[in-house]
Amino acid sequence: MNELTVNGTAVPLRPGQTIGAALHAAGVRLVFCGIGVCFSCVVTVNGSATLRACVTEARPGDEVVTGS
């Protein structure tokens, strides 16, 4: 299984999974609507700010920062 890093903590992910789904599976409740309309899940991924976790595909090695 692959993983990404969220606020410095490793989070497992499955191929094709969104960042929001990986976070949810790891117990991080960040996503409200899950379809990209509410913007409650905005994160920074590899230095790119204001990405929606619920519609952004997770890639192994991604570094995600919440609360951005």
Side-chain angles (χ1 to χ4, degrees), residues 3-68:
E3 61 185 30
L4 54 87
T5 303
V6 179
N7 300 329
T9 302
V11 173
L13 64 97
R14 295 186 176 139
Q17 200 171 33
T18 63
I19 292 171
L23 292 174
H24 187 78
V28 178
R29 304 298 182 240
L30 178 71
V31 177
F32 180 71
C33 74
I35 58 172
V37 296
C38 75
F39 290 83
S40 71
C41 65
V42 172
V43 294
T44 298
V45 181
N46 303 323
S48 295
T50 65
L51 296 174
R52 292 172 290 164
C54 68
V55 295
T56 302
E57 185 174 342
R59 301 194 188 285
D62 277 349
E63 295 205 12
V64 179
V65 178
T66 62
S68 51

